[in-house]
Amino acid sequence: MTRALFPVILAGGKGERFWPLSRQNRPKQFLNLDGTDRSLLQATADRLLTLAGGWDNLWVITSGQIAQGVREQLPLLPSDNLLVELQGRDTAAAVAWTSLEIQRRYGDDAIIGFFPADHWIAEQKAFVCTIDAARELAATQAAIVTLGIKPTFPSTGYGYIEQGEKIGSFNELPAYHVNRFTEKPDRQTAEDFLSTGRFSWNSGMFVFRAGVVLKELHRHAPEIIEPIEKYGPDIYQDLPKKSIDYALMEKTDIAYVLPAEFGWDDLGDWNAIERLMKKEGIPNVEFATHVGLDTQGSIVYSTNEEDVIVTIGLEDVVIVRDRNVTLIVKKDRTQEIKQVLKTLQADPRFTNLL
């Protein structure tokens, strides 16, 4: 395919489950979590530049609170390609506004891809091959294409996509009509899904033509697209807060899935660090000076090289030290970090920790 792709990086998230490393002015997408010298946002841009054909076709949508940080992280991004939300209203509004702006500039046939800023991809060649397949499908049919990650275990932390009838192959990859989207299931349901061979993890990555997605938004989410068309982004605070999955993907009948295999993680919480960085025969994952006695299965992280963390008899815990905050949590309860942040938010003594 030679038709241009306009990749859009969704960079407005807070990454609260990576607190205290992730904070309001230093969200997860600005962090280096995989041992390289590139932040998650920079790595995402690097990954997409080849597909975009250069900076002129790459877009980013983010929040006003961190827009300056995005500019500093991606200094070659054209200023007109950075959309700044006055208030975060989840991914449906972000997709609607960005698609509208690209359609106004490049027309209905512009092919757009949406990619979260905080994903880890292992194999660039396989990733590019899959996106090229999605681009081919989107260019030739009225389709909203999603990438489904082939599951490697019965995760209860991911949404699932059930594939229906096969509609053909694109770039030698099979594509299927989407039967349904399912939110995070319990363990037994996840195991049942995997046993059928018909389910993929929902990656949150989408490819479509601008005119196709705008037509579907008018059909299924007029309460989002129509105010933006009429009033522009100034109406943002009055828009309903909905994910693109809920507002559109669960309702449209032109959703298709490409099962993908390129090594993927959505880096949702601290446990992702272990999935990426765990080494065989090493009891813990350590980004700190750690002296441990009978400590195993743990993640130890500090931003200050002078800090020394000493542990005795611990198992399956996460310990994070950043500036004046120390977090200690069991690995199976990291999802509850967001609840603690609500407590801190309500107490004026702790607002500087957010």
Side-chain angles (χ1 to χ4, degrees):
M1 290 294 296
T2 58
R3 192 176 305 198
L5 174 72
F6 299 92
V8 180
I9 301 176
L10 296 163
K14 298 177 182 178
E16 291 179 326
R17 285 171 296 195
F18 270 95
W19 184 87
L21 194 59
S22 178
R23 307 207 192 186
Q24 289 179 348
N25 294 319
R26 188 187 62 190
K28 178 173 61 170
Q29 53 267 39
F30 290 177
L31 303 178
N32 165 4
L33 295 173
D34 64 358
T36 69
D37 61 354
R38 303 292 279 171
S39 72
L40 297 179
L41 174 63
Q42 291 169 329
T44 302
D46 294 344
R47 186 181 310 130
L48 296 173
L49 275 173
T50 300
L51 290 161
W55 287 100
D56 286 345
N57 288 349
L58 183 66
W59 291 60
V60 177
I61 184 164
T62 191
S63 68
Q65 190 169 28
I66 63 170
Q68 183 55 37
V70 171
R71 294 185 185 100
E72 292 170 359
Q73 292 242 322
L74 304 177
L76 297 180
L77 181 75
S79 58
D80 289 344
N81 291 12
L82 176 63
L83 302 186
V84 181
E85 298 175 301
L86 299 177
Q87 183 174 346
R89 305 309 292 163
D90 215 324
T91 52
V95 168
W97 182 27
T98 313
S99 299
L100 193 59
E101 292 296 329
I102 293 176
Q103 183 258 359
R104 285 170 175 167
R105 195 183 299 185
Y106 298 105
D108 282 342
D109 287 335
I111 301 173
I112 309 171
F114 280 86
F115 305 90
D118 54 358
H119 286 183
W120 173 83
I121 304 292
E123 302 159 50
Q124 174 72 5
K125 185 176 180 180
F127 175 74
V128 170
C129 179
T130 305
I131 300 303
D132 280 343
R135 174 165 48 178
E136 183 181 342
L137 173 52
T140 56
Q141 298 190 31
I144 297 179
V145 187
T146 183
L147 304 190
I149 307 299
K150 288 190 176 181
T152 55
F153 64 97
S155 171
T156 59
Y158 297 144
Y160 285 75
I161 302 169
E162 183 181 17
Q163 63 194 42
E165 180 184 0
K166 182 179 177 180
I167 63 161
S169 294
F170 299 83
N171 203 23
E172 300 183 355
L173 295 177
Y176 302 86
H177 193 272
V178 171
N179 268 0
R180 60 170 166 151
F181 288 82
T182 301
E183 287 302 312
K184 301 172 183 178
D186 58 33
R187 177 79 181 192
Q188 183 59 55
T189 302
E191 291 177 353
D192 292 343
F193 284 173
L194 264 64
S195 70
T196 69
R198 298 195 309 271
F199 285 82
S200 302
W201 288 333
N202 184 359
S203 73
M205 292 182 271
F206 307 95
V207 178
F208 38 66
R209 274 181 282 149
V212 170
V213 75
L214 292 174
K215 181 179 178 180
E216 287 299 285
L217 285 167
H218 274 286
R219 180 182 175 190
H220 299 290
E223 72 282 5
I224 294 174
I225 188 63
E226 290 179 3
I228 297 176
E229 284 186 328
K230 186 173 182 179
Y231 301 105
D234 291 342
I235 198 67
Y236 239 72
Q237 63 183 8
D238 297 327
L239 297 176
K241 192 173 184 179
K242 294 182 180 180
S243 70
I244 191 65
D245 285 341
Y246 178 76
L248 179 59
M249 298 306 295
E250 294 178 5
K251 300 172 182 176
T252 183
D253 57 4
I254 58 169
Y256 300 89
V257 59
L258 286 169
E261 293 183 274
F262 41 64
W264 170 90
D265 201 296
D266 75 341
L267 302 180
D269 63 23
W270 282 104
N271 290 303
I273 300 297
E274 184 175 61
R275 292 194 295 269
L276 294 188
M277 308 303 292
K278 186 77 170 72
K279 296 179 180 178
E280 190 174 350
I282 306 298
N284 305 295
V285 175
E286 300 177 358
F287 286 87
T289 302
H290 174 224
V291 179
L293 177 63
D294 294 331
T295 295
Q296 60 184 352
S298 296
I299 301 164
V300 185
Y301 196 111
S302 175
T303 54
N304 186 347
E305 293 181 358
E306 296 181 359
D307 286 347
V308 179
I309 298 176
V310 180
T311 62
I312 301 173
L314 297 183
E315 186 173 356
D316 294 335
V317 298
V318 177
I319 303 169
V320 183
R321 175 72 178 166
D322 180 57
R323 288 174 279 180
N324 57 338
V325 177
T326 302
L327 168 72
I328 304 171
V329 57
K330 289 184 176 181
K331 281 163 45 178
D332 62 359
R333 299 189 64 177
T334 54
Q335 299 287 321
E336 298 173 47
I337 291 174
K338 295 178 77 170
Q339 294 175 227
V340 173
L341 290 181
K342 290 180 181 178
T343 302
L344 297 178
Q345 220 167 14
D347 192 324
R349 293 177 301 164
F350 303 129
T351 53
N352 66 319
L353 303 181
L354 300 173

